Amino acid sequence: MYNFKLRLFIAMLIIPSISAQELNQAFLESLPSEIKQDVLNQILNESSPVNINSKDNKNYSSFDSKLDASFKYLDEDLEDDFSNLLLFGQDFFRSFPSTFMPINDPAASGSYILDVDDIIFIQMIGANSSSLELRLDREGAIFIPNVGKIVLAGLTLDNAGKLINSKIEDSLIEVDAIVSLKQVRDIQVLVTGLVNFPGIYTLGGYSTVLHAISSAGGINDGGSFREIIVKRNGSEIQKIDLYDLLIHGDTSKIKSLRSGDSIIIQSTNSYVRVVGAINRPAIYEFLEGEEPKDLISYAGGFSNNSDNSNYFLSRKSNISLDLLSSADVEGLKLQSNDKIFVPFISYKESDLYLNEKENFITTPVKISGAIKNPGEYYIKQNETLSMLLQRAGGYKKDAYQYGGVLINSEAKILEKSFNDKLYNEAIKSLASLSNVTNNINISSLTGVLAEFKQTKTTGRVVAEFNQEKIFEDSNLDTKLSPGDEIYIPFINDRVYIFGEVLNPGTFKFSENRDLKDYIDLAGGLNKFADKASIIIVYPNGESSRVALRKFAKNKEYIPSGTVIYISRDLTYMEGTDLARTLAPIFSSLAISLASLNSISNN
C-alpha cells in the first residue's frame, strides 16, 4: 500500500507549460480512455460547470475529517412519504370564495359593521310612515329629515338600528324604524408579504382577512399561516393564527376589514413534517414553545391503526441525525425541519427503527483489532462508542487507542461527494488544455487523475477512543450508527514521510524526534518542496498543514503512526495559471491519500 501511494505522489512532479490556440485532437487521443471521455463530456457541458462551493452542497474542509456520527433512521420509503407531503392549509384558499355573498346582497347579519359608502334602508312605521335609502357619507354619517345627522360608521347593523330608533324617538312622535342594509360598500385593502399576488384589492364590505388572502392567490411557500398581521392607520390591530379556524373552527378573530387596512403575511421556516398512523399527515407550522404533542394534535391525533403509545421525532443537524421516542421528548421544543413519525400497530421491523420487543437495531456494528472480544454487536438506541467498548471487554494491553478508527457509511458518502467535486474541477482544468497545438506530455497529471477517480473513500470519522477522557467529558463520546466499523490498532513504532523529500519511506518512531528530525532522516527537502505546505495526518485521522520555519524551532510533536507529506511548490512551475487552478486539488488529493495510508498502515 505504501509503495503504491509513493509512486502516485512521485507521478505528480511534472506539469508542463501550455499555450491556448485551437483544438488539438492529438492531445485528446493521448488521454487515458476514462479521462478522455470525462474531458469530452466537460467540453460539451460547459454551460453547466461544477461549483465546488455550490450552496446546494456542504463544503467540508480537507483538513478537518472530524464528523459527528449518529443514527440514520429514515429509510428511502419513509423519506418519500415525508417529501410528498403538502403544507397544511394551502388547499383552503384554492376553493375559498372572494366574498361570503354577492356584493350587493342586503341580507347582512346584525354583526355587520357599517362604514363609508354603505347604503341602509330605513322603513319608518307609525304616525308618519315613510322609507329612506341613505348612504353613509365621508364622515360615516347619515341625515334624516326632521331628525338630523347620525354617525353610524363603526357600529354594527344591530347597534345602528338601536341608535336610529333612539334619535327618531327623541324627534318624532309614535314612529318606529326598521333598519336593514340595502347595499354593501366596496373596500380597498393592501395584501403584502408572502402571498402569490401581493397588491391592492377592491373587495366587498363583508370581506375578511380570508377573502383578502384568497384574492391575492393564497399564501405561498414560506408564508406563515399562524402569524398574519392586520394593520389599520399604520398600527397593528390584530395578529391572526389561521390554525384557530382551520383546526379548531374558531372564527371569533375573523372580523370584517375596513377600507385602508393592510394584511401582511410573515415569512417562516418553522415547519415540521408529520406522517405515519396519523389522521391528517402534512407539513405543519409551529410557533415558538410548541412541542411534538401539539403537532400531533394539529394533525388530527392518532389514527385507529396507530401505536398511540409511542411516536418518533427525528432531528437533523449538519450530518447528524437523532431519533427520539415519545418518552424522550417530554417538554422538548420543536425545531425547524423536525420530523414526526407515528408507527402503525402492525409496523414492520426494519433496519432503521427499533424492534419494540428486543429494543435493538437489526444492523450490527463490527469491532476488530486490539480489543478483548472482537466481533459484531447489536447496538441499542443512542448507544455510544464507550458503551460498545465496554461491552466488547475493553482494550488489550498493547492497543493503540490514539489510532482508533471509526468508519461510518454516511461519512463515506459525504467524502465521495467531496472527492467527486475535486475530480470535476480537475477535469474542467484539463478540458481547457484541449485547445493547444503543442505536443504536451501530461501523462503524470492524467495518471494522478485516473488513480484519484478509482480511489476508495474511507468514511473515517474522528472520534475519541480514550475512555478516561470520555469519562471526564461525556461530550467527547461518539454516538454510533447501525453498520459502523471500528478498528483498534496495535501499538507501532513507525512514522511515514513522503512527497518532496530525497528519501521518502518509513522511519522508526522516537519520542525525542520532531518534524524537522523526520525530514532530515528522509534526506531533507528537495528543490521542489513547498516549505509552507507540510501536511501532517495524525493516527486519529485529524490532519493539519504546517510551515517549516527556517530561523525557528520546528517542535511539532509527531506521534507514532503519523503520516507526513511534503507538498510540491507549484509556483516554481511554468504555466502558473494552471498551477494556481490545480494546487488546491493536488493538496486535497495529498491529504486524502495520506489519510488512506495512515489507516492502512495502522
Side-chain angles (χ1 to χ4, degrees):
M1 175 64 74
Y2 168 76
N3 291 333
F4 165 73
K5 298 295 187 310
L6 179 59
R7 290 197 303 271
L8 190 54
F9 280 106
I10 292 175
M12 295 166 57
L13 294 179
I14 302 175
I15 300 180
S17 62
I18 62 171
S19 61
Q21 296 180 21
E22 296 179 354
L23 180 65
N24 188 338
Q25 187 65 29
F27 166 82
L28 294 175
E29 293 300 332
S30 69
L31 301 177
S33 59
E34 66 273 20
I35 301 296
K36 174 184 175 181
Q37 187 59 53
D38 290 339
V39 170
L40 288 174
N41 290 341
Q42 175 61 38
I43 294 173
L44 296 173
N45 196 34
E46 284 295 337
S47 61
S48 301
V50 175
N51 182 3
I52 196 168
N53 289 321
S54 168
K55 66 181 181 180
D56 294 328
N57 299 305
K58 292 188 176 82
N59 186 18
Y60 293 94
S61 168
S62 304
F63 299 95
D64 184 6
S65 58
K66 191 167 187 178
L67 301 174
D68 181 18
S70 183
F71 287 107
K72 183 178 181 182
Y73 288 99
L74 301 177
D75 58 20
E76 294 181 357
D77 292 338
L78 194 53
E79 275 296 341
D80 288 341
D81 289 340
F82 279 126
S83 63
N84 291 330
L85 292 177
L86 298 177
L87 181 63
F88 176 74
Q90 278 192 331
D91 286 342
F92 179 77
F93 290 104
R94 294 176 183 172
S95 58
F96 193 81
S98 60
T99 60
F100 282 125
M101 61 187 70
I103 193 167
N104 292 324
D105 191 324
S109 69
S111 62
Y112 175 76
I113 297 176
L114 296 170
D115 208 341
V116 175
D117 286 336
D118 279 334
I119 298 177
I120 63 172
F121 181 78
I122 302 175
Q123 178 70 48
M124 291 188 287
I125 303 171
N128 186 13
S129 297
S130 63
S131 60
L132 298 171
E133 287 186 11
L134 300 173
R135 182 186 298 270
L136 274 65
D137 62 19
R138 292 182 179 180
E139 297 179 1
I142 60 171
F143 182 82
I144 301 176
N146 301 319
V147 175
K149 180 179 178 180
I150 305 174
V151 178
L152 301 179
L155 298 179
T156 65
L157 185 59
D158 282 345
N159 288 336
K162 293 177 182 178
L163 178 60
I164 290 170
N165 271 290
S166 175
K167 294 292 186 181
I168 289 175
E169 184 178 344
D170 292 339
S171 303
L172 301 175
I173 299 173
E174 296 182 354
V175 175
D176 292 325
I178 299 174
V179 180
S180 61
L181 187 63
K182 176 69 175 181
Q183 183 173 313
V184 178
R185 68 188 181 271
D186 287 341
I187 62 172
Q188 285 192 327
V189 297
L190 170 66
V191 188
T192 188
L194 293 185
V195 290
N196 288 306
F197 306 106
I200 297 174
Y201 290 88
T202 299
L203 306 172
Y206 292 105
S207 299
T208 67
V209 166
L210 301 178
H211 304 100
I213 296 174
S214 178
S215 297
I219 298 173
N220 64 19
D221 293 339
S224 174
F225 281 74
R226 308 200 60 189
E227 292 186 286
I228 298 172
I229 305 300
V230 181
K231 288 187 175 182
R232 183 168 295 162
N233 299 323
S235 299
E236 181 179 322
I237 64 167
Q238 191 178 20
K239 182 179 289 185
I240 297 175
D241 182 352
L242 286 184
Y243 278 20
D244 290 337
L245 168 70
L246 299 177
I247 295 173
H248 305 300
D250 182 3
T251 61
S252 61
K253 293 183 179 179
I254 311 298
K255 300 185 182 301
S256 296
L257 297 170
R258 296 179 66 176
S259 196
D261 285 350
S262 299
I263 298 96
I264 302 100
I265 307 302
Q266 307 278 76
S267 64
T268 184
N269 64 351
S270 299
Y271 296 120
V272 169
R273 291 160 171 77
V274 185
V275 299
I278 204 80
N279 285 314
R280 193 166 47 225
I283 301 171
Y284 289 88
E285 181 183 345
F286 67 90
L287 299 180
E288 184 176 354
E290 290 188 326
E291 302 177 14
K293 62 182 180 182
D294 297 316
L295 272 291
I296 290 176
S297 175
Y298 297 156
F302 300 109
S303 64
N304 291 333
N305 59 345
S306 70
D307 176 9
N308 57 17
S309 63
N310 200 11
Y311 59 87
F312 299 98
L313 181 141
S314 69
R315 175 169 293 173
K316 189 167 187 178
S317 176
N318 293 328
I319 65 162
S320 65
L321 187 61
D322 295 322
L323 181 79
L324 302 172
S325 67
S326 54
D328 301 320
V329 299
E330 186 68 30
L332 182 72
K333 307 306 179 187
L334 291 166
Q335 295 182 7
S336 296
N337 297 318
D338 282 350
K339 297 176 182 179
I340 297 173
F341 175 76
V342 178
F344 294 91
I345 293 175
S346 58
Y347 186 75
K348 184 178 180 181
E349 177 188 351
S350 74
D351 292 345
L352 305 171
Y353 277 89
L354 297 180
N355 180 308
E356 290 296 318
K357 295 180 180 178
E358 298 174 322
N359 195 36
F360 60 72
I361 306 295
T362 60
T363 301
V365 169
K366 298 178 182 178
I367 184 168
S368 60
I371 198 80
K372 291 181 179 179
N373 299 305
E376 294 185 348
Y377 289 83
Y378 291 97
I379 59 174
K380 296 182 179 181
Q381 183 183 6
N382 295 325
E383 186 160 353
T384 62
L385 177 60
S386 65
M387 295 176 186
L388 180 64
L389 290 172
Q390 187 175 7
R391 291 173 60 193
Y395 298 116
K396 292 183 177 180
K397 290 183 179 181
D398 52 352
Y400 189 28
Q401 299 178 34
Y402 185 52
V405 176
L406 172 61
I407 303 299
N408 174 266
S409 58
E410 186 167 339
K412 188 177 295 186
I413 293 172
L414 293 173
E415 184 181 341
K416 184 178 187 306
S417 175
F418 181 74
N419 286 352
D420 288 345
K421 292 176 178 62
L422 292 179
Y423 177 78
N424 290 334
E425 287 292 309
I427 290 297
K428 287 173 62 179
S429 297
L430 192 59
S432 68
L433 305 184
S434 61
N435 293 330
V436 301
T437 57
N438 295 349
N439 291 325
I440 298 175
N441 177 14
I442 59 167
S443 59
S444 58
L445 170 60
T446 57
V448 168
L449 292 179
E451 293 292 346
F452 185 48
K453 186 176 182 179
Q454 298 173 12
T455 298
K456 301 294 185 182
T457 54
T458 64
R460 184 174 186 179
V461 175
V462 174
E464 180 58 67
F465 283 81
N466 188 311
Q467 291 178 299
E468 292 182 0
K469 290 183 178 180
I470 294 174
F471 179 78
E472 293 175 357
D473 184 0
S474 61
N475 292 324
L476 298 176
D477 210 357
T478 302
K479 190 182 295 183
L480 296 176
S481 299
D484 280 351
E485 296 183 19
I486 299 166
Y487 173 70
I488 309 299
F490 292 90
I491 294 175
N492 66 54
D493 59 352
R494 293 165 291 176
V495 171
Y496 312 95
I497 182 168
F498 49 86
E500 304 304 328
V501 290
L502 296 178
N503 183 31
T506 304
F507 299 90
K508 186 174 179 60
F509 166 76
S510 172
E511 289 281 355
N512 298 322
R513 290 175 180 162
D514 59 19
L515 174 62
K516 180 66 166 54
D517 294 329
Y518 286 109
I519 292 176
D520 290 342
L521 285 174
L525 304 178
N526 65 29
K527 65 179 181 178
F528 301 109
D530 185 355
K531 297 178 182 179
S533 183
I534 297 175
I535 298 167
I536 301 175
V537 181
Y538 297 98
N540 69 341
E542 290 183 331
S543 57
S544 64
R545 184 196 295 269
V546 300
L548 192 64
R549 297 174 291 276
K550 185 175 182 180
F551 299 105
K553 294 182 179 180
N554 297 273
K555 294 299 181 183
E556 284 82 7
Y557 177 67
I558 306 297
S560 174
T562 297
V563 175
I564 302 169
Y565 173 67
I566 312 300
S567 301
R568 182 179 177 84
D569 188 353
L570 297 179
T571 61
Y572 288 96
M573 296 166 19
E574 299 180 2
T576 56
D577 289 340
L578 180 62
R580 281 193 297 269
T581 301
L582 296 180
I585 299 172
F586 286 156
S587 179
S588 295
L589 173 63
I591 295 169
S592 176
L593 294 177
S595 297
L596 283 169
N597 191 76
S598 176
I599 295 174
S600 63
N601 283 285
N602 274 337

